[in-house]
Amino acid sequence: MTITPETEAHGPVDFVLLEFPVEGLTGRASEELVKLVEQGVIRLFDLLVVMKNDDGTVEVLELTDPGGPAAAFSYFDGAQTGLLGDDDIAEASAALLPGTVAALIVYENTWAAPFVAAVRDSGGELIASTRIPAPDVMEALEALEAESPATDA
């Protein structure tokens, strides 16, 4: 299905703040983010990496600094639409623990655009939405699994 200008739709746009210990950076998260972009699952609008030093000072890191804490995200250098502003950086920084680095990411869930278009074409509209954090889902599933009786195969 192609989306025509009359029914042009976008998927939901999310803002996430991911905090990492500086010493624990593996680059794996950035590799998975690249896959999502290249597969067309998401469209990346903005990505900033912020570090909160042990003394509480905050700095926005250059993604192209080789060997720096943000180097794993160098693939996304230039991913800045301007959606993230100083207020967003300040709010995100306030949430960070000292000695951590965080990725602020704004992305569109492009996988949902055809569904959004179909809803709109049918006269539907979104009237409520929420996101359940992955740790909450995993915790609930583990609790359900623990409650279910073991069966013999």
Side-chain angles (χ1 to χ4, degrees), residues 20-104:
F20 302 91
V22 175
E23 284 76 33
L25 297 173
T26 65
R28 183 145 183 264
S30 64
E31 292 168 6
E32 293 301 320
L33 186 60
V34 167
K35 288 179 189 177
L36 292 172
V37 170
E38 289 181 346
Q39 293 169 358
V41 175
I42 65 169
R43 178 182 348 176
L44 189 70
F45 289 129
D46 286 281
L47 187 144
L48 293 175
V49 178
V50 178
M51 184 161 66
K52 189 168 194 177
N53 298 306
D54 289 330
D55 65 2
T57 58
V58 175
E59 57 186 301
V60 176
L61 303 177
E62 292 293 326
L63 301 183
T64 56
D65 178 16
F73 289 104
S74 64
Y75 177 88
F76 301 107
D77 185 43
Q80 296 177 339
T81 63
L83 289 173
L84 290 174
D86 292 339
D87 290 345
D88 298 308
I89 295 169
E91 189 174 336
S93 300
L96 298 178
L97 294 172
T100 60
V101 63
L104 286 76

